[in-house]
């Protein structure tokens, strides 16, 4: 399978709820694979377990070129 991106990126695991301050834990240089999932979507394959809040409901990823994506 060809990937849109394969390599290291910055990934943030975030618990964000209305009326509460967000809880965010960022992992630098996390190995990932991104593949096209159609209609402006990507499939994210993480190569390691990410630490973060058990109530996390948001993932944000920033690629080395500054491109970013997020999902709930």
């Amino acid at each position: 399978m060809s990937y849109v991106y394969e390599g290291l990126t910055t990934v943030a695991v975030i618990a964000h709820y209305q009326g509460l301050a967000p809880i965010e834990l960022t992992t630098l240089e996390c190995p990932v694979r991104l593949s096209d999932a159609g209609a402006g979507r990507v499939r994210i394959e993480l190569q390691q377990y990410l630490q973060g809040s058990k109530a996390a409901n948001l993932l944000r990823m920033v690629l080395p070129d500054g491109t970013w994506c997020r999902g709930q």
Side-chain angles (χ1 to χ4, degrees):
M1 171 184 270
S2 64
Y3 299 103
V4 174
Y5 176 79
E6 183 173 13
L8 300 176
T9 188
T10 300
V11 179
V13 177
I14 307 164
H16 191 231
Y17 294 94
Q18 185 174 355
L20 300 173
I23 300 169
E24 180 174 327
L25 184 63
T26 301
T27 302
L28 303 174
E29 298 185 356
C30 180
V32 299
R33 288 184 190 142
L34 300 180
S35 54
D36 186 5
R41 301 181 318 165
V42 294
R43 175 188 165 106
I44 301 169
E45 296 177 45
L46 300 168
Q47 303 301 306
Q48 67 187 44
Y49 180 79
L50 294 178
Q51 298 295 321
S53 170
K54 291 186 188 255
N57 59 352
L58 182 64
L59 182 74
R60 181 180 62 229
M61 196 169 48
V62 182
L63 301 177
D65 68 358
T67 304
W68 62 273
C69 60
R70 69 177 185 145
Q72 297 181 346

